[in-house]
Amino acid sequence: MGKLDAVYGTMDHLILLVARIADFGGKDQKRKIRAAEAVRSQRNSEPGLAQMNQMSPTSRQAGPPAQPQGPSPMQQQPPMYGMMPSMGPVRLPNAFMQDPQQTKRRQSSPLEDQALEAATMEAEREWNEIRNALDVFEENLGPDYQPLSPDHMQPLSTPFGPALYYRAYSIACVWALFLTARIMSARLHPSMPPAAMVAAGVAAPRTAPWANTIGRICAGIQPLSNTTPLNPTHGAALMDSCMGLFHAGVQYRDAAQRGWTITKLRDVARLTGWQTSALIASGCERSWMRAAEMGHGPPYQRTMNAAAKDDRVAGRSRDPVAKMYPPKDNNDRRFIKVNPGTRVYWALGILSVEEDMQGLDLED
């Protein structure tokens, strides 16, 4: 590992480390959902909130009823606060009543709380081991894996800063994937929310330098001319760099960085024929639009390629009825049934939101 003539060995070690991070995130997802449910149940069980929940909507809007002054028939009737008399206590329809079994499952016992606390401590211990493994990996990358000095590379200005060049495209891909692993581990910390998009926003201050460096590395891999034919090694490096841009791109907020990312991802699809790159660009745009709708990012206008053959890139639907209406949001589960090709947006490890986590069943 760390040898110039055996970059493939270094990449093998890194892929195993990335697989370890992904396995940890998948196993810890169930614990995070349980912890989030415990926090919500604790908030709902607070005395003030419980009293507010027990009050009827009429009593909250109209205030306390007047005190009776005598046993007159009019005052013995239910109080009336509006144009229509009250019909007494309102019974919730059966369709909206909570399932007793579900309520029983959500009520945690002291033993379950202790088990959750123990699981959290175990997750933090395992996460620290992964972080130490990342540190050890970085320390074993020798001087041959460091960026070239400005004297040995052509200066190229990008929205992320000067482009970074390495002795080989494969070394640049190693660094891009390593920084991606750093971003993944930060977003999968045991204290992070279970939804990937929410975790990306929370961890953004810490992962911002890594995401910015990924942009500089990918800029050094990009060809200087879009008309020059690519050799297989260069084309493979372009395709490998797309995954790093996907993880880093979802947290970009600068308009110039977003525009550069979408342009280069589509250039990779055009130059190499690897259309997954165009789908990654579309996924990044969907994440920026979703973040703007949630108030967690600047507004973004999607730039769809209407001439693309792939419906997912062009924003088309294969359902004739759907063409009569605006495109549905990617969080609408019915959209998957209408157009299975849009499953690219269900990269839950990167693009999931809170609604996805609430409907996710990890028992299967």
Side-chain angles (χ1 to χ4, degrees):
M1 186 176 68
K3 296 182 179 181
L4 183 60
D5 57 348
V7 181
Y8 58 89
T10 305
M11 179 63 79
D12 288 345
H13 281 82
L14 181 56
I15 289 177
L16 291 175
L17 187 53
V18 171
R20 181 181 177 185
I21 297 173
D23 180 68
F24 166 77
K27 293 187 301 184
D28 193 48
Q29 195 71 7
K30 184 177 180 180
R31 182 202 59 82
K32 286 184 176 181
I33 294 177
R34 288 171 51 199
E37 291 179 353
V39 172
R40 285 195 295 266
S41 62
Q42 182 179 3
R43 290 177 178 176
N44 294 334
S45 62
E46 293 180 0
L49 293 178
Q51 185 177 2
M52 289 294 294
N53 292 333
Q54 293 175 0
M55 294 174 61
S56 63
T58 305
S59 61
R60 287 198 297 265
Q61 294 176 2
Q67 296 294 331
Q69 299 179 356
S72 62
M74 291 296 298
Q75 294 182 354
Q76 290 179 358
Q77 297 179 358
M80 184 178 66
Y81 302 110
M83 296 180 64
M84 297 294 294
S86 174
M87 301 301 296
V90 179
R91 183 178 181 275
L92 191 66
N94 294 332
F96 296 94
M97 293 184 65
Q98 194 174 26
D99 185 9
Q101 297 295 332
Q102 186 178 4
T103 306
K104 184 177 180 180
R105 288 194 300 267
R106 291 184 178 180
Q107 292 176 351
S108 58
S109 63
L111 294 178
E112 292 178 350
D113 294 339
Q114 294 178 4
L116 180 60
E117 184 178 356
T120 302
M121 295 178 61
E122 176 63 21
E124 292 179 351
R125 183 195 63 79
E126 186 174 354
W127 186 88
N128 288 327
E129 292 180 354
I130 293 176
R131 182 188 59 182
N132 295 334
L134 289 171
D135 295 338
V136 172
F137 180 89
E138 186 176 9
E139 293 172 358
N140 282 272
L141 297 179
D144 293 335
Y145 282 72
Q146 302 307 314
L148 297 176
S149 62
D151 299 335
H152 297 83
M153 66 184 205
Q154 182 177 357
L156 178 63
S157 178
T158 71
F160 308 95
L164 294 178
Y165 296 90
Y166 295 85
R167 287 173 172 82
Y169 290 129
S170 55
I171 296 178
C173 291
V174 167
W175 275 105
L177 184 59
F178 172 74
L179 295 177
T180 302
R182 287 285 196 187
I183 293 176
M184 292 172 56
S185 63
R187 294 174 181 173
L188 293 176
H189 188 274
S191 63
M192 287 293 169
M197 283 294 296
V198 181
V202 175
R206 175 172 178 78
T207 59
W210 300 327
N212 190 79
T213 305
I214 289 177
R216 297 177 62 190
I217 294 173
C218 294
I221 301 176
Q222 294 291 326
L224 298 178
S225 175
N226 291 331
T227 59
T228 304
L230 298 177
N231 59 62
T233 303
H234 195 183
L238 288 173
M239 291 186 290
D240 286 346
S241 66
C242 292
M243 189 55 63
L245 275 181
F246 196 8
H247 284 80
V250 295
Q251 74 177 69
Y252 290 155
R253 299 173 61 91
D254 182 72
Q257 294 180 353
R258 289 179 171 182
W260 186 94
T261 300
I262 298 302
T263 300
K264 297 306 178 183
L265 285 172
R266 290 175 177 170
D267 286 345
V268 172
R270 180 176 53 83
L271 294 173
T272 65
W274 193 56
Q275 296 303 316
T276 303
S277 178
L279 299 180
I280 291 176
S282 183
C284 288
E285 289 188 316
R286 296 290 298 186
S287 68
W288 298 334
M289 294 171 59
R290 180 61 175 171
E293 293 174 0
M294 299 171 62
H296 299 320
Y300 181 82
Q301 184 67 31
R302 187 180 181 188
T303 57
M304 294 180 294
N305 183 9
K309 297 181 180 180
D310 197 310
D311 295 339
R312 295 166 289 185
V313 179
R316 296 188 299 265
S317 175
R318 299 174 185 175
D319 186 9
V321 179
K323 297 180 181 180
M324 302 171 56
Y325 305 96
K328 298 177 182 177
D329 186 79
N330 64 318
N331 290 319
D332 190 350
R333 294 286 183 175
R334 295 170 297 176
F335 190 52
I336 299 179
K337 297 178 181 179
V338 172
N339 186 359
T342 54
R343 287 173 182 167
V344 64
Y345 301 137
W346 288 97
L348 294 181
I350 306 177
L351 304 179
S352 61
V353 293
E354 293 181 353
E355 290 82 356
D356 302 326
M357 295 298 101
Q358 294 176 3
L360 185 63
D361 187 6
L362 298 179
E363 296 294 340
D364 298 334

